[in-house]
Amino acid sequence: MTEEPATLSVPRGRHRGALLGVGIASSAFFLWLVLRDADLGAVWRALRHAEIGLVLAAVVVNQGVYVAQGTRWRAVAGTPVLGVRRFYALVVGGLAVNNVLPLRVGDVLRGRWLALSAGIPTGRAFGSVFRDRVCDVITLVAALVVALPFVGDERWVERIAAGGILLVVAFAFVVVLAVAYVRRRPRSRRERRGTLRRLVRDLVEELASPLGRHRVLLALALSVVAWS
């Protein structure tokens, strides 16, 4: 009776050690990707001549942006089991991956990380990432439209604003399609679906589920705070 816990703890300890090793190796690899083409001498010279007060202020403001984004994503995801600190960590992790890998892989990974952390379907977590990014697009497009009168006759700015508006309309169309699909296809068929089809179904259901006025306003307000 007394030896069984010790026996069980050995594989668990090895598992944690393996995860730690993978984490250290992957961190070293991504650090190499970031620094491989950097002029470290120029970086050191810039740091030597930088005003330490402004640098520290920039660090604080930058972390405040991530806190606002994590708080917004938590409000959008509707997973009270996780605190703001965990969402902050997921946001920073996703941004770190996006900085070194193409195709916004970090957004896909943070959706999966949320699913594992909160114990929710992966499709639902992906849907929350989609909504979170839509908040960014809406905020930036609105800011660009407001700034148009102050940038003169720059045609490229107008084209970007027009493209952003079309993108917001496309997002809205996707949500409308999701709502229509969920209403036509009952959830009772879900048990007979394969893994991929369940993931897509969960994603569509998340996009179709109402957020409520309070959560929408909170998410947009946090977006304004983050981008300001």
Side-chain angles (χ1 to χ4, degrees):
M1 295 294 292
T2 57
E3 295 180 357
E4 185 175 357
T7 304
L8 293 176
S9 64
V10 173
R12 183 179 302 176
R14 290 177 179 175
H15 179 68
R16 291 179 177 176
L19 289 178
L20 179 61
V22 171
I24 294 175
S26 61
S27 298
F29 172 72
F30 287 126
L31 184 62
W32 172 80
L33 284 179
V34 172
L35 298 178
R36 71 186 191 281
D37 295 325
D39 186 348
L40 298 182
V43 173
W44 175 245
R45 288 191 296 272
L47 290 176
R48 288 179 59 189
H49 293 88
E51 296 185 29
I52 187 64
L54 292 178
V55 172
L56 293 178
V59 170
V60 172
V61 171
N62 200 32
Q63 297 308 307
V65 172
Y66 299 151
V67 171
Q69 290 179 337
T71 305
R72 179 191 64 193
W73 186 20
R74 183 173 184 267
V76 170
T79 53
V81 67
L82 298 180
V84 175
R85 176 185 294 183
R86 182 56 180 167
F87 277 91
Y88 165 84
L90 297 181
V91 166
V92 173
L95 290 173
V97 175
N98 284 338
N99 285 337
V100 295
L101 296 179
L103 304 177
R104 310 295 299 183
V105 175
D107 289 335
V108 177
L109 288 178
R110 70 184 177 106
R112 179 55 180 166
W113 295 334
L114 174 61
L116 295 174
S117 300
I120 62 176
T122 302
R124 179 185 167 191
F126 286 161
S128 72
V129 174
F130 178 88
R131 286 175 158 179
D132 183 60
R133 282 307 186 189
V134 169
C135 291
D136 283 332
V137 173
I138 292 175
T139 303
L140 292 175
V141 170
L144 188 57
V145 170
V146 170
L148 279 178
F150 305 98
V151 295
D153 298 326
E154 298 291 341
R155 301 296 299 174
W156 65 272
V157 178
E158 296 179 1
R159 288 194 293 268
I160 292 177
I165 293 174
L166 290 177
L167 186 60
V168 172
V169 172
F171 286 155
F173 184 66
V174 169
V175 173
V176 170
L177 288 180
V179 172
Y181 180 85
V182 169
R183 289 179 177 177
R184 291 183 57 186
R185 301 279 185 167
R187 293 189 59 176
S188 58
R189 300 174 52 189
R190 184 178 177 183
E191 289 75 10
R192 297 192 296 271
R193 298 176 185 270
T195 302
L196 180 59
R197 295 186 65 187
R198 284 200 305 269
L199 187 149
V200 174
R201 173 70 187 198
D202 291 333
L203 171 61
V204 172
E205 287 184 351
E206 177 67 14
L207 296 181
S209 62
L211 278 177
R213 182 180 303 177
H214 174 74
R215 290 168 65 190
V216 170
L217 293 177
L218 176 60
L220 292 178
L222 289 169
S223 297
V224 172
V225 170
W227 286 105
S228 295

